[in-house]
Amino acid sequence: MAIQRNQYAEVPDDSRITAAVATFIEEVTFQQIPTEAVRIGKRCLLDGLGLFVAGSDHETARIVAAMAMEQGGAGDALLLGQGAQRVPLPLAARVLGTAGHAHDWDDSQVSKDPDHVYGLLTHPTIPPLSAALATAQKLAPVSGQDLFLAFMTGFEVECKISEWMFSQHYKRGFHSSATVGTFGAFAAAAKLLDLKGDKLLNGLGLAASFASGIRCNFGTMTKPLHVGRAAENGVTAALLAAKGFTADKSALDGPWGFFAVQGGGVTVAKMEAEGFGAPWSIVDPGVSIKPYPCGVLTHPTIDLMLKLVIENNIKPEEVETVTIFAGSNILNPIRYPIATNHLEAKFSLQAVLSMIVLNRKAGKIEFEDGFVQSEQMQSMQSRMKTSFDPAIEALGFDKMRSRIVISKKDGTLVEGNADVRYRGGPENPLTDEEVTAKVRNCCEGVLSAHEIERLIAVGSSVLELDDASEIARTLQSR
């Protein structure tokens, strides 16, 4: 395959990725989804529902919901967290997406490509699930099976685009869940709207121009809004295309297409070896369901610290200093030395490890401002520092490696290495029971115990639902 080179990118001069995406969206059927992909997809969907509830009373979701009510308009879909209030479809999708990413607890795509630093890979569930759930309400009744097909279609499109793109995309500062998530949301909405042919191509062109989000906003309220906007923009692209709005019909391809402009190009060998649904990315390489509500890059280090603290019965008052050694793949994005609020804490090794020392857990409560800003948290964070480790860097980014050295006040050292397949990933997944327990944890304090169990039951039986709008109704607190 010939490669066209310019000052910006390397792209195949006969690339037809846009057409391949459109064909997949139009032709894929539920029967083509492998049994294992259905099994994992249902887990991701249930996890996503819990995250919608967890984020529904988060400040970011409350603000965008208030703005949606002020804007008003057609009552297409329920406004998350606002009872029976209904708003236009794009606004409903915006609030769902923002809430779903508010706690940074949503699942992460996995790759076997050693060039793919983990941050490049998208959070694949929330953009297409937000778009599908909102669109299904506008078109009601939509069966649960059709909603699930739309969700899985968007999930696959999002992951393949992310997998094929050069890692320059993330290294340049783009947030993949915002940019690539837009295509996942579009694919889900387009599938439910039954777009075909040129309308799909035009919608992809619109999505390519809408895709945006930069990493400087990590640790702020804007990061979850990135995903909310991805859901909103994907839905908007589908609605405009349905009405005949035009765009470039090969907007993923060529020297000025999405891959070239935002990612520097595509990995031709992977494109030639893979296709949409061949294999399904949710199965191979897989997806990680997060045990902790923070950046996945911190998770192996959190597990290591928990192991060291428990096995050595380390008490907070015994800790003199903690040094965390890691490579640039972790230290660059996990960038806050001392977190001053819950948003910064999600991108601070000092903060998440302080939680473990103090409470031996890092869950929803530990990531609230009251805990992060407490005197004990601020003091413990000040005793910790990070250090770049050339030896860890040289091992590459196929694993999220780190090393911890705890210096106790009695002069003893406690050390350990995180060089394992992380908990929650495909090789060490959460059990079904752990996923359900996470959903309960997400919903606690927002839904009643009865409502939580109802949500779990409805989400688990998604394929049997006659009207997928029932899912949206179970998300709303009474």
Side-chain angles (χ1 to χ4, degrees), residues 272-347:
E272 292 177 338
E274 302 172 348
F276 293 100
W280 285 78
S281 293
I282 199 168
V283 176
D284 183 14
V287 63
S288 162
I289 293 181
K290 284 184 172 184
Y292 303 112
C294 51
V296 70
L297 292 166
T298 67
H299 289 197
T301 312
I302 295 173
D303 281 340
L304 171 60
M305 182 61 117
L306 184 61
K307 179 176 182 288
L308 295 176
V309 167
I310 291 175
E311 288 184 353
N312 296 278
N313 195 27
I314 297 174
K315 296 178 173 54
E317 62 271 16
E318 297 174 338
V319 175
E320 182 72 31
T321 61
V322 176
T323 305
I324 310 110
F325 298 88
S328 62
N329 62 318
I330 293 177
L331 297 183
N332 286 349
I334 310 302
R335 61 195 179 100
Y336 291 95
I338 294 183
T340 62
N341 58 53
H342 67 284
L343 292 166
E344 292 177 356
K346 295 178 184 298
F347 299 92

Side-chain angles (χ1 to χ4, degrees), residues 89-90 92-98 126-131 177-178 181-182 184-186 189 225-237:
L89 170 54
R94 181 203 297 170
V95 177
L96 281 166
T98 302
I126 296 301
L129 185 57
S130 300
S177 300
T182 303
F186 166 76
L225 181 60
H226 283 173
V227 179
R229 289 288 286 174
E232 177 186 8
N233 287 338
V235 164
T236 300

